[in-house]
């Protein structure tokens, strides 16, 4: 996801529970940061998942 795509990223369909589930995937230091917006949580979760995929050798997917 590139910055130009983020302008059109709609976070209105996510419940607070969904956002908190995504936050729980993040490293502990980011989980405890109370000043992240919904969009920042989503972006950080995507980056963290991609990092884990690369560490596991899956190389990521075309989904991102």
């Amino acid at each position: 996801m590139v910055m130009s795509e983020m302008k059109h990223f709609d976070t209105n369909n996510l419940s607070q529970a969904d956002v908190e589930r995504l936050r729980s995937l993040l490293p502990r230091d980011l989980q405890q940061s109370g000043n992240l917006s919904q969009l920042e949580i989503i972006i950080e979760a995507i980056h963290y998942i991609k990092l884990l995929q690369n560490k596991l050798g899956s190389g990521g997917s075309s989904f991102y």
Side-chain angles (χ1 to χ4, degrees), residues 1 5 7-9 18 20 27-28 31 33 36 38-39 44 48-49 51 56-57 60 62 64:
M1 185 174 288
E5 293 172 346
K7 291 179 189 175
H8 306 290
F9 194 72
D18 291 334
E20 290 306 316
R28 192 165 312 280
Q31 286 180 22
S33 176
L36 293 177
Q38 281 189 349
L39 183 56
E44 290 296 335
Y48 189 60
I49 291 167
L51 174 72
L56 291 172
S62 60
Y64 306 110

Side-chain angles (χ1 to χ4, degrees), residues 8-58:
H8 306 290
F9 194 72
D10 181 15
T11 61
N12 293 327
N13 293 330
L14 292 175
S15 70
Q16 189 60 34
D18 291 334
V19 174
E20 290 306 316
R21 246 181 267 131
L22 285 174
R23 183 188 297 269
S24 73
L25 295 174
L26 299 177
R28 192 165 312 280
D29 60 329
L30 287 174
Q31 286 180 22
Q32 295 172 349
S33 176
N35 59 349
L36 293 177
S37 69
Q38 281 189 349
L39 183 56
E40 290 170 321
I41 292 169
I42 293 164
I43 293 167
E44 290 296 335
I46 290 169
H47 286 294
Y48 189 60
I49 291 167
K50 288 174 74 175
L51 174 72
L52 292 176
Q53 286 178 331
N54 287 334
K55 282 185 177 183
L56 291 172
S58 67

